[in-house]
């Protein structure tokens, strides 16, 4: 009898484990380019496995600078306050001693390391709180990320989803302390000249060739970050309960004094 109970308990535990939903990765923010053309440049050091990449101020820029973009938070509690707000985007990164590789029809550049930031250009009011212009919407660092795209094509992307990638996030609006898996994706379109490495056919002998492109992207975590700019429903309940207790104590004190 005991053996049967143990078997049934094991089956029940297995069923519960199988039916438990897996934690979902949450895309919590994104950004998009404004009019003006190319906003990012990839610059290879000639004949080597070294390169740098950075935001540019103008369509033909060749030096690192910041660029205006539209930035949005996607979680429901804050999306109503921060959707398509104007922000200043800064990106700086490097690749060291890493030759591009071929993966089918794609070129892949590994070992990207860098940092980024999105800073608000206007004050943002959320309830009783006002975040001044210059607040940190989102910033972060990354290592072991990848650049990839179709060889000879005009689109590609930078991703931090490899198993060896490390990504950090900070924000004046969110807390990422409890997040375990973090990812980002920067989509590149209108790449000029085409996405290529030398030689144009066969095995590359250096990093991916220089280009400019239009970039937009998104940021994700698992689990979702905690929105600190807007109290969560549980926090609202505690605040309301606290105010009720304060009011009750005040009325009780008034009655006692009157007596």
């Amino acid at each position: 009898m005991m053996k049967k109970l143990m078997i049934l308990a094991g089956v029940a535990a297995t069923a519960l484990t199988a039916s438990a939903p897996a934690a979902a990765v949450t895309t919590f923010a994104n950004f998009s380019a404004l009019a003006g053309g190319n906003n990012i440049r990839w610059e290879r050091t000639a004949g080597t496995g070294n390169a740098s990449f950075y935001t540019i101020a103008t369509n033909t820029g060749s030096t690192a600078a910041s660029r205006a973009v539209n930035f949005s938070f996607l979680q429901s509690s804050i999306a109503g306050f921060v959707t398509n707000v104007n922000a200043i985007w800064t990106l700086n990164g490097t690749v060291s001693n890493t030759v591009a590789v071929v993966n089918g029809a794609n070129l892949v550049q590994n070992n990207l390391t860098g940092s980024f930031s999105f800073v608000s250009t206007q004050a943002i009011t959320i309830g009783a709180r006002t975040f001044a212009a210059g607040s940190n919407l989102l910033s972060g660092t990354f290592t072991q990320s990848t650049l990839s795209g179709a060889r000879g094509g005009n689109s590609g992307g930078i991703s931090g989803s490899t198993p060896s990638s490390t990504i950090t996030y900070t924000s004046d609006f969110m807390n990422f302390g409890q997040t375990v898996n973090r990812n980002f994706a920067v989509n590149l379109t209108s790449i000029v000249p085409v996405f290529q490495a030398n030689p144009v056919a066969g095995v590359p002998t250096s990093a991916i060739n220089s280009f400019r492109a239009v970039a937009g992207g998104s940021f994700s975590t698992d689990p979702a970050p905690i929105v600190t700019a807007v109290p969560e429903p549980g926090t609202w309940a505690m605040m309301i309960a606290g105010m009720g207790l304060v009011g009750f104590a005040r009325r009780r004190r008034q009655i006692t004094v009157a007596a």
Side-chain angles (χ1 to χ4, degrees), residues 53-55 64-65 90-94 113-116 142:
F53 53 101
Y54 45 84
T55 44
T90 303
L91 170 71
N92 283 287
T94 59
T113 297
S115 61
F116 64 86
F142 55 90

Side-chain angles (χ1 to χ4, degrees), residues 23-91:
V25 174
T26 299
T27 300
F28 66 88
N30 63 25
F31 75 99
S32 58
L34 296 173
N38 305 319
N39 57 8
I40 188 172
R41 176 164 171 78
W42 174 277
E43 185 175 6
R44 189 201 69 188
T45 303
T48 72
N50 299 332
S52 59
F53 53 101
Y54 45 84
T55 44
I56 51 180
T58 64
N59 184 43
T60 58
S62 295
T63 58
S66 299
R67 189 65 173 265
V69 294
N70 282 328
F71 182 91
S72 300
F73 283 127
L74 305 180
Q75 287 168 269
S76 58
S77 61
I78 193 172
F81 305 99
V82 185
T83 295
N84 288 330
V85 301
N86 192 266
I88 296 298
W89 175 41
T90 303
L91 170 71

Side-chain angles (χ1 to χ4, degrees), residues 71-229:
F71 182 91
S72 300
F73 283 127
L74 305 180
Q75 287 168 269
S76 58
S77 61
I78 193 172
F81 305 99
V82 185
T83 295
N84 288 330
V85 301
N86 192 266
I88 296 298
W89 175 41
T90 303
L91 170 71
N92 283 287
T94 59
V95 170
S96 299
N97 302 318
T98 306
V99 174
V101 296
V102 178
N103 182 7
N106 293 333
L107 285 174
V108 179
Q109 179 75 63
N110 295 309
N111 202 27
L112 278 64
T113 297
S115 61
F116 64 86
S117 67
F118 296 89
V119 176
S120 66
T121 62
Q122 61 197 65
I124 299 172
T125 299
I126 302 176
R129 299 183 64 182
T130 296
F131 296 83
S135 295
N136 173 28
L137 291 163
L138 182 68
S139 59
T141 63
F142 55 90
T143 65
Q144 298 296 318
S145 297
T146 61
L147 165 67
S148 63
R151 194 169 197 170
N154 298 105
S155 62
I158 299 172
S159 173
S161 62
T162 66
S164 56
S165 298
T166 58
I167 302 169
T168 65
Y169 289 137
T170 60
S171 173
D172 291 340
F173 298 77
M174 294 184 171
N175 184 295
F176 298 91
Q178 86 288 0
T179 59
V180 178
N181 299 316
R182 306 182 186 102
N183 187 23
F184 71 91
V186 176
N187 305 312
L188 305 175
T189 58
S190 304
I191 293 176
V192 288
V194 295
F195 198 69
Q196 189 56 273
N198 292 330
V200 295
V203 178
T205 58
S206 64
I208 287 173
N209 294 350
S210 299
F211 64 83
R212 294 181 180 84
V214 178
S218 60
F219 305 90
S220 307
T221 65
D222 173 21
I226 296 173
V227 178
T228 55

